[in-house]
Amino acid sequence: MSEFVRRGAPGMKSIKDLPVSQDGPPPGGFPSIRYARRIPSTGPTGVTLFAVGAVVMAYGFYRVGQGNHARREEKDEIVRARKALIPFLQAEEDRRWLKEYQVLRKKQAAVLGDSGEEGMYKTRWMPPAQPVGAWQ
């Protein structure tokens, strides 16, 4: 509609002056639309997927358990090796302590002289306390 509508002007006076052109269905009608839910059963079922997932998870838990066992055995081996070294380390510490104790006794003897006292320290020697229980 290229002409504008104005009273008394030549041209189209109303939209009703246009020729009617309307689309319609083709002869014989449109083909029918299949809207029913007819999906082909392809692929595994839900139960199968669930079972496969459960098997995969069970295998994963098994592997984690095996790894935990191996790690625990390695840790126990390290602890056993350290426990086997404890007597040697204690003997080395005792030798070091004995040397320092002898030096201390010499210093005390030099300071006290012949005063008749045995020394300043009159308590029984005990090794340093070791952590016990949860503090290990």
Side-chain angles (χ1 to χ4, degrees):
M1 187 166 117
S2 62
E3 298 177 20
F4 61 91
V5 179
R6 191 169 44 142
R7 288 191 186 169
M12 188 173 64
K13 304 277 188 212
S14 171
I15 193 80
K16 294 179 181 175
D17 294 341
L18 286 173
V20 176
S21 96
Q22 183 177 359
D23 287 339
F30 289 108
S32 64
I33 297 173
R34 195 181 82 167
Y35 59 90
R37 189 175 161 93
R38 283 182 248 159
I39 301 171
S41 60
T42 59
T45 63
V47 173
T48 306
L49 290 175
F50 183 79
V52 168
V55 167
V56 168
M57 284 180 57
Y59 179 71
F61 282 127
Y62 170 76
R63 294 291 298 193
V64 167
Q66 294 300 311
N68 289 345
H69 283 297
R71 192 166 37 257
R72 189 179 312 119
E73 287 176 4
E74 289 173 6
K75 195 183 284 187
D76 287 346
E77 182 180 352
I78 290 171
V79 168
R80 283 192 303 269
R82 288 179 181 169
K83 284 182 179 179
L85 288 176
I86 286 175
F88 298 104
L89 296 174
Q90 185 65 48
E92 184 178 346
E93 176 62 20
D94 290 346
R95 281 193 299 270
R96 183 201 64 77
W97 179 85
L98 186 59
K99 278 184 185 178
E100 289 187 18
Y101 184 69
Q102 289 171 348
V103 169
L104 176 69
R105 294 292 274 182
K106 285 180 186 176
K107 284 183 185 177
Q108 284 179 353
V111 170
L112 294 175
D114 289 333
S115 67
E117 291 187 28
E118 190 177 302
M120 292 187 293
Y121 304 107
K122 300 197 187 296
T123 60
R124 178 174 166 237
W125 180 83
M126 297 287 288
Q130 298 294 320
V132 178
W135 299 104
Q136 286 185 349

